[in-house]
């Protein structure tokens, strides 16, 4: 197997061993093609230039031991090193750690920080962690959170942990719990929203998701935590893992998230901003997962940051 992660200038073939089994082809390519824009990686997959065992695959194809991946020639200017993280950001992330062992790091991601660089972002969460933890030879995102979403995020410190958690995620054994403040009074009887979601990419590259009968089956469970004057705090548990799923399902139900400039209500957002809500109110509040060789699930909770908790305390209860 070739380990050169520089973009190839001629076709090369990579044999997949058991260590890479279960990894998505898009994530594999992003690791292999350092410095290549994500949009280009997805384009060469979509056009069939990337082949697995001589056949075309989609970006979500999961590699199997024994697969042979054809990687086409790609010419790009080598990516420059990301700028050094500020001490303030480094300290913030170190102080945001919620759980750590030899194989896993879980932290409370701040809102406004992308999980990785790219698309005009020089420095993301994973790049900062690699800078401030140079002794860690392996740090990889287990899953993603949108830039404006805060809360629990998992980073694997070993490939074996990454494989384990990806398997747990695929088989629905990792439970994710989000807290969201939504406009209006969420009905107690509405315990789930089941609506197919279809993702579209605008010419600007922006992703938009909408409910569409041609979309992928999607299910989110909801539970009311507290009614406030003009809004409700709900717990959202995504059963499927679609892009922007909670935000679009809440909008579909008629209760867009507070601070959501893409799927929310502009008038509601303006009124709530006057009350101190200056960001999207979507927070990955807790994770429940089973670690290897453990019998009991690990439950990790992430507290709300002050930008959400302080204005929330001022709202009149109902």
């Amino acid at each position: 197997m070739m380990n050169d992660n520089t973009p190839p200038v001629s076709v090369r073939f990579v044999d997949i061993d058991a260590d890479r089994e279960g990894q998505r082809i898009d994530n594999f390519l992003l690791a292999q093609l350092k410095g290549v824009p994500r949009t280009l990686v997805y384009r060469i997959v979509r056009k069939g230039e990337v082949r697995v065992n001589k056949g075309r695959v989609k970006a979500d194809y999961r590699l199997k031991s024994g697969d042979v991946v054809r990687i086409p020639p790609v010419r790009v200017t080598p990516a420059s090193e990301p700028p050094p993280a500020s001490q303030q950001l480094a300290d913030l992330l170190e102080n945001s750690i919620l759980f750590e062992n030899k194989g896993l790091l879980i932290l409370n991601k701040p809102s406004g920080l992308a999980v990785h660089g790219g698309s005009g972002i020089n420095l993301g969460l994973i790049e900062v962690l690699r800078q401030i933890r140079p002794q860690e030879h392996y740090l990889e995102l287990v899953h993603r959170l949108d830039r404006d979403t805060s809360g629990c995020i998992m980073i694997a410190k070993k490939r074996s942990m990454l494989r384990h958690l990806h398997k747990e995620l695929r088989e629905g054994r990792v439970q994710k719990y989000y807290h969201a403040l939504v406009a209006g009074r969420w009905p107690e009887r509405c315990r789930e929203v089941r609506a197919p979601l279809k993702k579209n990419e605008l010419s600007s590259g922006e992703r938009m998701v909408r409910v569409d009968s041609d979309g992928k089956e999607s299910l989110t469970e909801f539970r009311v935590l507290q009614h406030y004057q003009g809004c409700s705090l709900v717990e959202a548990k995504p059963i499927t893992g679609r892009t922007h799923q909670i935000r679009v399902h809440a909008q579909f139900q008629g209760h867009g998230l507070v601070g959501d400039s893409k799927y929310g209500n502009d008038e509601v957002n303006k009124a709530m901003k006057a009350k101190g809500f200056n960001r999207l109110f979507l927070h990955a509040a807790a994770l429940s997962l089973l670690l290897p060789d453990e019998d009991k699930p690990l439950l990790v909770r992430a507290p709300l940051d002050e930008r959400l908790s302080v204005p929330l305390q001022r709202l009149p209860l109902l």
Side-chain angles (χ1 to χ4, degrees):
M1 176 176 173
M2 296 182 65
N3 291 317
D4 182 10
N5 286 352
T6 56
V9 293
S10 61
V11 172
R12 67 181 169 101
F13 296 87
V14 181
D15 297 320
I16 301 302
D17 57 22
D19 200 39
R20 293 195 178 276
E21 186 160 12
Q23 186 177 25
R24 281 174 51 134
I25 186 72
D26 54 352
N27 292 331
F28 168 77
L29 291 168
L30 287 166
Q32 291 287 311
L33 302 174
K34 296 292 186 183
V36 175
R38 295 174 67 86
T39 51
L40 179 54
V41 169
Y42 284 99
R43 188 183 309 142
I44 61 177
V45 173
R46 190 168 58 246
K47 291 173 68 177
E49 295 178 41
V50 174
R51 298 286 177 122
V52 177
N53 305 327
K54 300 182 180 180
R56 297 174 71 125
V57 293
K58 293 185 177 180
D60 59 358
Y61 172 80
R62 293 191 181 276
L63 295 167
K64 300 178 181 66
S65 181
D67 281 350
V68 178
V69 180
R70 175 194 186 273
I71 303 179
V74 181
R75 291 184 180 275
V76 295
T77 303
S80 58
E81 287 294 314
S86 68
Q87 191 60 48
Q88 182 181 11
L89 180 55
D91 291 343
L92 175 62
L93 292 190
E94 285 287 2
N95 292 330
S96 298
I97 294 172
L98 302 168
F99 171 85
E100 185 171 12
N101 65 9
K102 291 182 179 180
L104 179 64
L105 183 66
I106 302 177
L107 57 82
N108 188 357
K109 185 188 82 68
S111 174
L113 178 65
V115 293
H116 54 70
S119 301
I121 299 167
N122 292 325
L123 202 60
L125 170 72
I126 193 65
E127 289 85 11
V128 177
L129 286 175
R130 288 168 181 161
Q131 285 184 18
I132 65 178
R133 294 286 189 94
Q135 73 279 11
E136 300 285 0
H137 300 298
Y138 186 90
L139 288 172
E140 293 289 344
L141 293 163
V142 176
H143 60 122
R144 290 175 168 81
L145 288 178
D146 289 339
R147 182 175 183 174
D148 293 331
T149 304
S150 56
C152 294
I153 190 161
M154 298 182 285
I155 295 93
K157 298 165 65 177
K158 294 182 178 180
R159 180 169 287 283
S160 58
M161 179 63 77
L162 184 69
R163 287 203 313 271
H164 167 77
L165 290 174
H166 277 173
K167 184 172 186 290
E168 295 292 290
L169 284 163
R170 286 197 305 274
E171 297 179 2
R173 289 193 289 268
V174 177
Q175 308 299 318
K176 300 178 183 178
Y177 302 90
Y178 291 77
H179 288 177
L181 191 66
V182 301
R185 184 181 180 88
W186 187 280
E188 300 274 358
R189 67 182 181 279
C190 181
R191 304 302 298 270
E192 66 175 42
V193 176
R194 188 186 298 270
L197 298 179
K198 186 173 184 179
K199 182 166 58 177
N200 298 289
E201 189 167 310
L202 306 181
S203 57
S204 63
E206 183 182 11
R207 292 177 300 173
M208 289 292 291
V209 179
R210 69 179 192 275
V211 172
D212 191 301
S213 58
D214 293 331
K216 293 182 179 179
E217 180 182 351
S218 306
L219 172 63
T220 309
E221 294 179 352
F222 288 93
R223 180 169 69 92
V224 174
L225 299 176
Q226 179 65 58
H227 288 300
Y228 295 92
Q229 184 175 311
C231 55
S232 305
L233 183 66
V234 298
E235 177 187 86
K237 181 182 175 185
I239 306 304
T240 51
R242 313 301 180 206
T243 301
H244 300 166
Q245 177 174 314
I246 294 171
R247 297 161 66 184
V248 180
H249 274 174
Q251 176 204 42
F252 179 69
Q253 189 61 29
H255 301 277
L257 269 60
V258 168
D260 191 344
S261 59
K262 185 173 287 190
Y263 303 107
N265 181 285
D266 290 342
E267 290 185 7
V268 170
N269 290 343
K270 184 177 179 181
M272 296 303 284
K273 188 171 184 178
K275 296 179 180 180
F277 293 96
N278 295 309
R279 51 155 288 206
L280 173 70
F281 201 125
L282 182 60
H283 178 69
L287 279 172
S288 175
L289 61 143
L290 193 64
L291 294 175
D293 303 320
E294 294 288 339
D295 297 325
K296 294 182 179 180
L298 170 70
L299 178 63
V300 178
R301 299 182 186 275
L304 285 174
D305 64 56
E306 291 186 353
R307 292 172 63 194
L308 297 182
S309 63
V310 171
L312 186 65
Q313 291 170 2
R314 299 194 192 114
L315 291 178
L317 299 174
L318 289 182

